[in-house]
Amino acid sequence: MANVLIMFGFSWMVVAAIIGLLLAKRHEAVVPQLEKIAATGNLAEYHRVYEIYKHHKIVHVHSFLFSVVAVCVGLAMARMGFPESAINGLAIALMVAPTVWTIGALLTSIPVMAIGDFALLGSIVMAAAGMLKGM
């Protein structure tokens, strides 16, 4: 299952990179839009547009980070002192976490994002416990 998790991590990096490319394209439209809004002095609209753009940057960065965690844990799985079923559960959780979080973030659903965050946090704690047990 470690190889599947590593492959997933690299595949999700591609998804995060595509989000980044779309974000870069959006940047070309947002900067002139922000300049035009700034010229009118409408601070509320300026911040609204900027916050939407900033949220999309967070989606890109978090998706990439979750992928890196998945790859790192996948590489460390051979050293964990867990039975195969626990390793499989950990791998599944680390594949679900970035997927759920990214979808939740794109939909701006905080409860869905929280599910992904807690799945990632729990997986990191479980991986650390597995490494400790394998020592």
Side-chain angles (χ1 to χ4, degrees), residues 9-110:
F10 284 119
S11 299
W12 204 256
M13 284 181 196
V14 172
V15 171
I18 291 169
I19 292 170
L21 288 172
L22 295 173
L23 184 62
K25 182 176 178 166
R26 176 83 178 116
H27 184 264
E28 293 175 9
V30 168
V31 171
Q33 183 182 6
L34 288 173
E35 288 172 355
K36 187 169 31 168
I37 294 168
T40 67
N42 187 345
L43 190 58
E45 180 64 11
Y46 181 92
H47 283 292
R48 186 190 70 77
V49 171
Y50 179 71
E51 288 299 318
I52 291 169
Y53 181 75
K54 188 170 74 172
H55 174 76
H56 288 107
K57 288 194 302 188
I58 290 169
V59 174
H60 164 65
V61 172
H62 274 75
S63 296
F64 224 108
L65 177 62
F66 280 31
S67 302
V68 171
V69 170
V71 170
C72 290
V73 172
L75 291 171
M77 280 184 161
R79 294 178 183 90
M80 292 182 190
F82 285 143
E84 191 68 27
S85 60
I87 294 290
N88 291 343
L90 176 58
I92 290 167
L94 281 168
M95 288 185 271
V96 168
T99 308
V100 168
W101 191 92
T102 302
I103 291 168
L106 290 172
L107 298 174
T108 317
S109 172
I110 292 173

